[in-house]
Amino acid sequence: EFRQMCSDRIWRIGVTTTSNNQSEIYTKALFPHAGPVVENFAITAVINEMLMQSYDGVIRLFPALPDGLDAVIDNLLAIGAFLVSSKIENGEIGEVRIASGVGNTCRLYNPWPDRNVRVIDMTSSVELYAGLDAGILTFPAIGGPTYTV
């Protein structure tokens, strides 16, 4: 897919893996004599897109992360004023926390299609009904609380 190909290309240009398997962003990328050029490659936007996408209102976690990499997202802003936190370790997506800024219907592409998924309002500890349609979890989120999936 073109998006994956672009993400992989920018990843090779802008990020290196150290001996302890931690990723570091090149600050001088391809032109060391020109000073920092990260912004010129829009690498921060590419990395965000690798970690989470929500351009159509559906939150997708780690959709273009290269295989074999572990990653953590902490309060990455999704369309609909949702702050999303999660991690992927050894190819397994962990717990997802979604904080609703203004109150919208939250739509999350189910990262665990073979499991039962629960959505819990962390403020009241109440389990919410989450509809599942074509692999997308949908639940009403009011402004303020954090939800755990």
Side-chain angles (χ1 to χ4, degrees):
E1 184 172 288
F2 181 73
R3 179 178 291 240
Q4 177 71 41
M5 181 183 69
C6 291
S7 295
D8 287 346
R9 174 75 177 135
I10 295 298
W11 184 260
R12 285 193 301 272
I13 291 171
V15 177
T16 185
T17 302
T18 62
S19 60
N20 63 354
N21 206 25
Q22 296 293 314
S23 296
E24 294 178 349
I25 298 173
Y26 291 151
T27 57
K28 295 189 178 182
L30 296 177
F31 308 104
H33 61 282
V37 293
V38 170
E39 295 82 7
N40 292 342
F41 285 113
I43 195 162
T44 53
V46 171
I47 291 172
N48 283 348
E49 287 284 310
M50 289 170 32
L51 297 173
M52 183 188 74
Q53 296 174 5
S54 65
Y55 53 86
D56 61 352
V58 177
I59 299 168
R60 291 173 179 80
L61 300 172
F62 310 106
L65 190 69
D67 290 339
L69 285 180
D70 294 342
V72 175
I73 56 176
D74 189 20
N75 290 329
L76 197 56
L77 185 61
I79 288 181
F82 297 106
L83 291 174
V84 181
S85 301
S86 187
K87 70 178 181 177
I88 185 168
E89 208 167 14
N90 299 319
E92 184 72 25
I93 296 176
E95 177 182 88
V96 179
R97 286 180 325 220
I98 300 173
S100 178
V102 297
N104 279 311
T105 298
C106 184
R107 300 175 68 219
L108 172 69
Y109 186 79
N110 185 3
W112 314 282
D114 55 340
R115 296 188 204 162
N116 291 328
V117 178
R118 300 180 334 157
V119 177
I120 299 172
D121 179 336
M122 296 306 293
T123 305
S124 64
S125 298
V126 171
E127 185 172 337
L128 302 176
Y129 169 77
L132 182 61
D133 183 32
I136 298 172
L137 293 165
T138 303
F139 62 93
I142 59 172
T146 298
Y147 301 88
T148 300
V149 183

